[in-house]
Amino acid sequence: MFGRPLLRFVRKDTHINFMRGRFMGLIVSAVLSIASLVLFFHPGLTLGLDFRGGIVVEAQTPGPADFAKIRAALAEHGVSHASFQSFGAANDVLIRLDAGSEQDTQAIVDKVRHTVAESLPGTTILRADAVGASVSAELFRNGMLALALSLAMILGYIWFRFEWEFALSAVITLILDLTKTVGFLVLTGFEFDLVMVAAILTILGYSTNDKVVVYDRVRENLRKYRTMPLIDLINLSINETLNRTLGTSSTVFLASLPLALWGGATLSGFAWTMLFGIVVGTSSSIFIAAPLLLFMGHGRTKRGAKRAKAPPPSASRPTTIPPPTKHGAV
């Protein structure tokens, strides 16, 4: 009915032995995850405004930003200990201050906005946000709770749809993906805020979908090829879904790439994290989730193979020839 697809990443009859590198894939993944956990504790994530609390003002000056002049003007109005950062163009400036009491936060924001506008005429205030300490602590707690509930729901869904080997393999792989993403955030210095929580949840959902596709084909082939060794069956399933996996990953990757390159300071961190998560999620479906499924199902498969080779009970009983009757005697 429909014509052939215009683009195929691999041939339809490809037979790549992915399970040959199963040990190397698991070892590399474990090393990267352990290194990411070390980075999480030292130096740690760069918490954003949502989780750290404080004041952030983005301004665009008519010419190149003069940090010394802005700092002196704020000091004259009683605003000290402000940090300045240039982002984007040379006339874009980011001002950060620690949060004070809940009552003084809005007053400090207004003071910073008016001071910057008066000291540098023609300056445009692009954004001014403030989050109190108590609100930031609640947001951080809710963000971590959202990640934990997401993993729990994914475990329940896959366990209900497949068997426990599939569910446990998928959740372990997702945890490894999550730790690598945390390490990426530490190395890049992107701020960890609610936007990054949304990015991580999106990565978990995308990675889960990718693994469910592979697991569905494994389950179908388990019913279709009952005597095929499990390692060959998993290799066959990955090869059969490879075009679909690479096609979906490439589509999401190309959709996120413009945001990473031209999305500005607000969206670039989210987009780069998404790009990293797409690469990690796609590779882990092949080199992490599939080997884990192989190891967890290996014992059961060997027992099933022994049962399949064993002769049926009726065949093992000796056949008794009845003695001839008198009527049959010669």
Side-chain angles (χ1 to χ4, degrees), residues 97-154:
L97 298 99
D98 293 333
S101 62
E102 303 291 341
Q103 296 78 11
D104 298 337
T105 299
Q106 189 59 44
I108 296 175
V109 172
D110 295 335
K111 186 182 293 186
V112 172
R113 296 180 61 176
H114 293 312
T115 302
V116 173
E118 290 176 1
S119 61
L120 297 174
T123 299
T124 303
I125 303 298
L126 302 177
R127 180 169 70 101
D129 294 332
V131 177
S134 61
V135 176
S136 63
E138 182 179 356
L139 290 175
F140 183 81
R141 184 171 58 252
N142 291 339
M144 297 302 100
L145 181 61
L147 291 176
L149 289 177
S150 175
L151 286 174
M153 294 298 292
I154 290 171

Side-chain angles (χ1 to χ4, degrees), residues 154-163 166-167 170 208 212 215:
I154 290 171
L155 173 62
Y157 167 74
I158 299 181
W159 201 315
F160 175 78
R161 181 167 178 177
F162 299 97
E163 297 180 10
F166 292 88
T208 302
V212 166
Y215 284 173

Side-chain angles (χ1 to χ4, degrees), residues 251-289:
T251 302
V252 181
F253 190 94
L254 292 176
S256 302
L257 186 60
L259 293 177
L261 297 177
W262 303 292
T266 305
L267 294 177
S268 61
F270 173 87
W272 282 114
T273 305
M274 281 290 300
L275 294 177
F276 177 82
I278 292 168
V279 175
V280 169
T282 302
S283 59
S284 67
S285 298
I286 299 173
F287 298 105
I288 308 300

Side-chain angles (χ1 to χ4, degrees), residues 163 217-234 236-237 297 300-309:
E163 297 180 10
R217 186 56 58 90
V218 171
R219 184 172 59 178
E220 292 174 4
N221 287 335
L222 281 172
R223 298 170 180 171
K224 187 176 181 180
Y225 307 104
R226 296 180 179 274
T227 60
M228 180 181 292
L230 185 59
I231 186 172
D232 296 333
L233 188 141
I234 292 178
L236 174 65
S237 303
R300 189 183 66 174
T301 305
K302 290 176 64 178
R303 289 193 297 270
K306 290 180 180 179
R307 287 195 299 267
K309 292 179 180 179

